């Protein structure tokens, strides 16, 4: 008999619909049941592509004995963290306070009022490696609730204190100076791995936002070392197992420090951020590897992650047929059987050996340059054809607004930089879908699936979609995309900004009241709502000329200046947004008929240059006037020009570079 989750739209919740656990979805019914039965709430948070979430589900939630304990002693609530990032953020803070670390699956115990009092992440079915079994935890917590209620409630009250800083007004600060921003980015060098690229050791995450901030710093400082770090790091990731050498697209992270063995799920947001970084790296120095990876990653998104209606799906699972990575790896026998006499060269190029590098099989990676690239392309096609016959990993087919905003931005910028009509069509189609399916006036929903838009949007959704629509406007020069972006920028202020706190909150004024109103300002796997909103406000100010919009963004940025200087690793996207405020944008105004050859030539030339904080504006639309470009920074403008090569020269000069291309 299916439980209550069978009616939910989230694929992750539906994965648990056949559990013997009497699951509730998050909502008033669960809290009413907890109050009526005087039971604590067992809150389990995860997501569809989470490997250890699946493990705990198989070991515990599908086990009749464990489920009986859960049902007898708790009101059980299952949450998709991708659908409800507000709930996830609040209780992740509690888990980190209790255990010193976080992760998923998250297992949290709450009072019937929703106040946390104990929790952790993954619990095994039996005592193992110093971890108590899940059943032991269930009995201990329920007994404490029954016999030591006063102590439990006292602990809950104390734990609730962790939310005080989010609810308190921010401290006024001064905007970063150019030197302070440069020093903050410069300090990232100490965390950079000079041997393998990226930052830190195992497990190793790609950190595209930090690399993008470094790329901007290179353009500002003219220090070649910063470009070398970005190129080296990107190449190591793109040539390792982190990248799917056959089908394109990046996996979530690597469990080692050398980018070889990934955690195999593929997330839309990682690929959006990394594809955009690749586009910008190509603009910076014409790197052919960066262009190839950008095009392959965007092609993967179009091929494997696009809903027929036009939006992009959330993720691909790490597992298939019960094994992590099985879809992607090759035994040497499979490899040779597929390629025949051509196998030897491909084995050498992709590091395939009889021993393998992952549980007796091979994760393909670039072990050496191909002697014959055309032959390797043929081998890739043959291997892909065989791989398509395998059981595919599960796909989470919900469309998440903020992640789609990130991919829309990457797709539009890729179309603009590469002058690619296929990418352009994909970006426009997605923009039309997102505007029609997720927007209701100037508000957006968080998710869409099978024609249903559910959960009101959060700050990150409004801001990321706004930035995506701005990128689409800069690609097409159609007013409708700019109008959407301006409306969403205004919503960020009206619904999420609080004058008393001097900050953006992650949930809207009219959102469900939780234990606290969340305000997570750090950039994690995705940019924070605050950093996205700050960037959107700064760019909206350039399109509207509204100085008050810019001042509000600078105010929000100033309150975080000290935190950013102390811990720049936690503010990758905000470092990039700060560049707009600290150095000021570069404005490129294009006038004339966008359908004319002269206009398109000017736009294409400008799109080949990497310029930090470039804002592309629509000038006069007089179809009878000659197309021309005007490049400005601050109060200084160059002479207008109708020469495409001169546009590139002006942009390169204003960026401060003196390189030959």
């Amino acid at each position: 008999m299916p439980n209550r989750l069978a009616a939910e739209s989230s694929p992750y919740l539906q994965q648990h619909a056949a559990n013997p656990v009497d699951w509730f979805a998050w909502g008033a019914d669960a809290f009413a049941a907890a109050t009526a039965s005087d039971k604590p709430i067992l809150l389990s948070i995860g997501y569809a592509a989470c490997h250890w979430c699946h493990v705990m589900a198989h070991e515990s939630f599908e086990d009749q004995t464990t489920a009986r304990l859960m049902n007898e002693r708790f009101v059980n609530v299952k949450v998709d963290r991708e659908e409800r990032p507000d709930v996830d953020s609040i209780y992740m803070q509690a888990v980190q306070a209790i255990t010193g670390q976080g992760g998923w699956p998250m297992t949290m115990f709450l009072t019937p009022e929703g106040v946390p009092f104990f929790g952790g992440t993954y619990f095994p079915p039996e005592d193992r490696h110093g971890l108590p079994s899940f059943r032991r935890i269930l009995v201990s917590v329920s007994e404490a609730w029954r016999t030591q209620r006063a102590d439990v409630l006292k602990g809950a009250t104390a734990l609730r204190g962790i939310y005080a800083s989010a609810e308190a007004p921010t401290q006024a600060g001064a905007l970063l100076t150019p030197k302070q921003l440069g020093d903050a980015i410069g300090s990232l060098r100490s965390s950079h791995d000079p041997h393998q690229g990226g930052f830190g050791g195992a497990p190793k995450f790609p950190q595209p936002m930090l690399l993008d901030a470094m790329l901007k710093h290179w353009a500002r400082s003219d220090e070649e070392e910063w470009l070398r770090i970005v190129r080296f790091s990107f190449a190591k990731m793109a040539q390792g197992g982190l990248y799917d050498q056959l089908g394109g697209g990046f996996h979530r992270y690597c469990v080692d420090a050398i980018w070889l063995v990934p955690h195999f799920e593929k997330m839309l947001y990682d690929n959006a951020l990394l594809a955009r970084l690749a586009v910008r790296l190509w603009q910076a120095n014409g790197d052919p590897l960066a262009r190839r990876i950008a095009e392959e990653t965007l092609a993967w998104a179009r091929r494997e992650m696009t809903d027929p209606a036009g939006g992009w799906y959330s993720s691909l699972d790490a597992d298939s047929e019960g094994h992590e990575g099985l879809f992607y790896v090759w035994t040497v026998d499979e490899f040779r059987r597929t390629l025949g006499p051509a196998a030897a060269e491909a084995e050498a190029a992709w590091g395939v050996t009889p021993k393998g590098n992952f549980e007796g099989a091979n994760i393909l990676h670039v072990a050496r340059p191909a002697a014959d690239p055309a032959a390797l392309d043929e081998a890739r096609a043959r291997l892909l054809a065989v791989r398509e016959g395998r059981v595919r990993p599960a796909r989470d087919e919900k469309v998440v607004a903020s992640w789609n905003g990130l991919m829309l931005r990457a797709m539009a910028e890729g179309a603009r930089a590469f002058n690619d009509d296929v990418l352009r069509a994909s970006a426009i189609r997605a923009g039309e879908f997102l505007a029609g399916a997720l927007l209701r006036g100037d508000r957006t929903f968080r998710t869409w699936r099978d024609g249903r838009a559910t959960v009101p949007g959060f700050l990150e959704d409004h801001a990321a979609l706004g930035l995506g629509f701005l990128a689409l406007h800069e690609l097409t020069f159609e007013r409708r995309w700019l109008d959407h972006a301006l409306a969403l920028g205004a919503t960020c202020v009206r619904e999420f900004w609080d004058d008393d706190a001097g900050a953006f909150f992650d949930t809207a004024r009219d959102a469900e009241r939780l234990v606290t109103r969340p305000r997570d300002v750090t950039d994690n796997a995705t940019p924070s709502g605050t950093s996205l909103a700050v960037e959107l406000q700064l760019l909206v100010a350039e399109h509207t000329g509204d100085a008050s919009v810019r001042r509000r963004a600078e105010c929000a940025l100033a309150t975080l200046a000290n935190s950013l200087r102390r811990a720049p690793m936690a503010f990758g996207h905000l470092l990039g947004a700060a560049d707009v405020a600290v150095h000021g944008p570069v404005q490129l105004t294009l006038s004339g008929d966008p359908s004319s050859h002269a206009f398109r030539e000017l736009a294409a030339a400008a799109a080949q240059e990497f310029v930090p904080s470039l804002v592309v504006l629509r000038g006069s639309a007089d179809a009878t006037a000659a197309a021309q470009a005007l490049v400005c920074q601050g109060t200084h403008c160059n002479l207008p020009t109708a020469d495409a090569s001169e546009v590139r020269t002006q942009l390169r000069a204003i960026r401060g570079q003196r390189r030959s291309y």
Side-chain angles (χ1 to χ4, degrees), residues 420-479:
D420 188 311
D421 288 340
V422 173
L423 297 181
R424 177 188 176 94
S426 180
I428 293 172
R429 182 166 178 259
E432 289 172 341
F433 164 78
L434 294 168
L438 286 176
L439 293 188
R440 297 294 183 271
D442 59 0
R443 300 286 293 271
T444 180
F445 285 99
R446 169 70 175 176
T447 59
W448 178 96
R449 182 169 180 253
D450 292 338
R452 295 170 58 192
T454 57
V455 183
F458 301 97
L459 175 64
E460 65 180 82
D461 299 308
H462 290 80
L465 276 182
L467 290 168
F469 286 134
L470 273 185
L472 199 51
H473 171 68
E474 294 187 352
L475 172 67
T476 65
F477 297 98
E478 293 182 23
R479 178 72 198 195

Side-chain angles (χ1 to χ4, degrees), residues 537-557:
Q537 297 299 306
L538 290 167
L539 298 182
V540 162
E542 296 306 312
H543 282 276
T544 63
D546 189 335
S548 66
V549 174
R550 180 180 178 89
R551 284 195 298 271
R552 185 180 293 106
E554 290 176 343
C555 171
L557 185 58

Side-chain angles (χ1 to χ4, degrees), residues 28 30-41 75 109-115 117 145 149 153:
F31 290 97
T35 300
S37 62
D38 193 31
K39 293 179 181 177
I41 288 172
V75 170
F109 297 92
L110 320 177
T111 70
E113 295 74 37
V115 181
F117 62 86
W145 178 260
R149 180 76 59 91
L153 295 179

Side-chain angles (χ1 to χ4, degrees), residues 445-581:
F445 285 99
R446 169 70 175 176
T447 59
W448 178 96
R449 182 169 180 253
D450 292 338
R452 295 170 58 192
T454 57
V455 183
F458 301 97
L459 175 64
E460 65 180 82
D461 299 308
H462 290 80
L465 276 182
L467 290 168
F469 286 134
L470 273 185
L472 199 51
H473 171 68
E474 294 187 352
L475 172 67
T476 65
F477 297 98
E478 293 182 23
R479 178 72 198 195
R480 56 175 171 158
W481 306 123
L482 178 59
D483 288 342
H484 284 316
L486 299 181
L488 289 167
T491 301
C492 287
V493 175
R494 187 185 70 245
E495 300 296 336
F496 298 91
W497 175 262
D498 187 283
D499 280 325
D500 293 335
F504 289 103
F505 282 87
D506 294 333
T507 55
R509 297 181 190 280
D510 57 357
E512 174 190 355
R513 291 293 177 252
L514 304 172
V515 172
T516 186
R517 190 180 182 191
R519 188 175 82 200
D520 186 355
V521 298
T522 56
D523 298 312
N524 297 299
T526 56
S528 72
T530 291
S531 66
L532 289 166
V534 165
E535 184 183 17
L536 178 60
Q537 297 299 306
L538 290 167
L539 298 182
V540 162
E542 296 306 312
H543 282 276
T544 63
D546 189 335
S548 66
V549 174
R550 180 180 178 89
R551 284 195 298 271
R552 185 180 293 106
E554 290 176 343
C555 171
L557 185 58
T559 65
L560 295 169
N562 288 335
S563 297
L564 188 150
R565 290 167 61 190
R566 287 194 303 267
M569 289 283 292
F571 294 96
H573 191 83
L574 195 65
L575 287 169
D579 182 271
V580 187

